[in-house]
């Protein structure tokens, strides 16, 4: 059971997390695409009204690029959590809720992933020019007469959204394996998840 679940989780990480690290892994995936925080939605609307839609699009793309960069640091953290899984953990996952494996990973890795993602996102903002794009966007927006000035913490926001995206995609994989959607691609996975099917 332990080996089967480790294999299932390793598959989920390999199949789904690696997709997120590709260019447009977040930006062109509607399940996880990072949209603007509520307070910046009005920035986006305001800029589009004055003909700066292209600048607003660049801003959204920059947030997603930073997340794609950050997720590259996730795999070893996940692999470590999977290695440490006990027999009791494995049994609880197999016979637990339909997202029990995702919840297990979430509980074991969120703090470490947050610590890992935050500096990468901060650095990525500099690398892809997001800090300048957003400084420019916010300055332009704050100069529109009668608007309430904004100054959000985008690093923290993108970190939280990147985490949410990672666990969303792992849950997609878990659901596929649990529902026999052709994702049980080894004899071990077939054998272990047959136990779940026959409960």
């Amino acid at each position: 059971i332990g080996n089967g679940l480790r294999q299932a989780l390793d598959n989920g990480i390999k199949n789904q997390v690696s997709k997120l690290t590709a260019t447009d892994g977040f930006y062109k995936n509607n399940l996880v695409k990072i949209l603007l925080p509520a307070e910046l939605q009005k920035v986006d609307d305001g800029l589009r009204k004055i003909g700066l839609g292209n600048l607003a699009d660049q801003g959204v793309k920059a947030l997603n690029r930073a997340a794609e960069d950050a997720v590259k640091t996730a795999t070893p953290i996940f692999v470590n959590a999977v290695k440490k899984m006990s027999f009791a953990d494995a049994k609880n996952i197999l016979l637990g809720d339909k997202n029990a494996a995702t919840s297990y990973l979430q509980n074991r890795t969120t703090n470490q992933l947050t610590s890992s993602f935050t500096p990468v996102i901060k650095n990525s903002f500099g690398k892809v020019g997001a800090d300048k794009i957003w400084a420019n966007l916010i300055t332009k927006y704050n100069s529109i007469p009668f608007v309430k000035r904004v100054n959000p913490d985008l690093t923290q926001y993108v970190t939280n959204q990147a985490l949410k995206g990672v666990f969303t995609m792992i849950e997609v994989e878990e659901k596929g394996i649990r529902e026999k959607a052709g994702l049980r691609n080894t004899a071990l996975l077939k054998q272990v998840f047959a136990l779940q099917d026959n409960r």
Side-chain angles (χ1 to χ4, degrees), residues 58 62 123-136:
Q58 277 179 42
N123 184 44
S124 181
F125 276 176
K127 193 176 77 186
V128 301
D131 48 356
K132 290 191 180 69
I133 291 168
W134 275 101
N136 185 13

Side-chain angles (χ1 to χ4, degrees), residues 31-185:
L31 273 181
V32 296
K33 181 177 181 178
I34 298 174
L35 303 171
L36 295 180
E39 70 208 278
L40 286 184
Q41 207 62 63
K42 55 194 175 193
V43 175
D44 188 83
D45 295 343
L47 292 169
R48 289 181 196 284
K49 275 179 196 151
I50 58 170
L52 294 174
N54 189 37
L55 192 60
D57 290 338
Q58 277 179 42
V60 173
K61 191 178 275 191
L63 299 184
N64 284 274
R65 289 288 177 269
E68 288 153 15
D69 263 359
V71 174
K72 289 174 184 152
T73 67
T75 302
I77 294 168
F78 281 133
V79 167
N80 194 34
V82 172
K83 274 186 193 148
K84 289 181 176 166
M85 188 169 39
S86 69
F87 174 70
D89 292 329
K91 196 174 162 202
N92 290 339
I93 289 168
L94 186 65
L95 303 175
D97 293 338
K98 62 184 188 327
N99 64 344
T102 307
S103 298
Y104 168 82
L105 281 177
Q106 220 160 352
N107 293 335
R108 294 292 190 285
T109 62
T110 295
N111 290 344
Q112 215 182 333
L113 288 171
T114 303
S115 303
S116 171
F117 283 12
T118 303
V120 176
I121 285 168
K122 206 168 236 164
N123 184 44
S124 181
F125 276 176
K127 193 176 77 186
V128 301
D131 48 356
K132 290 191 180 69
I133 291 168
W134 275 101
N136 185 13
L137 277 171
I138 288 165
T139 305
K140 275 202 165 52
Y141 176 77
N142 285 341
S143 69
I144 299 172
F146 311 115
V147 299
K148 189 178 169 202
R149 295 173 74 78
V150 293
N151 189 23
D153 179 351
L154 285 174
T155 301
Q156 189 186 350
Y157 172 73
V158 173
T159 299
N160 293 340
Q161 294 299 304
L163 282 169
K164 202 168 129 194
V166 164
F167 292 118
T168 296
M169 295 316 293
I170 287 176
E171 197 167 329
V172 164
E173 185 76 9
E174 178 176 6
K175 189 170 182 263
I177 291 171
R178 284 189 188 275
E179 292 177 357
K180 300 192 271 195
L183 296 179
R184 298 181 192 179
N185 51 9

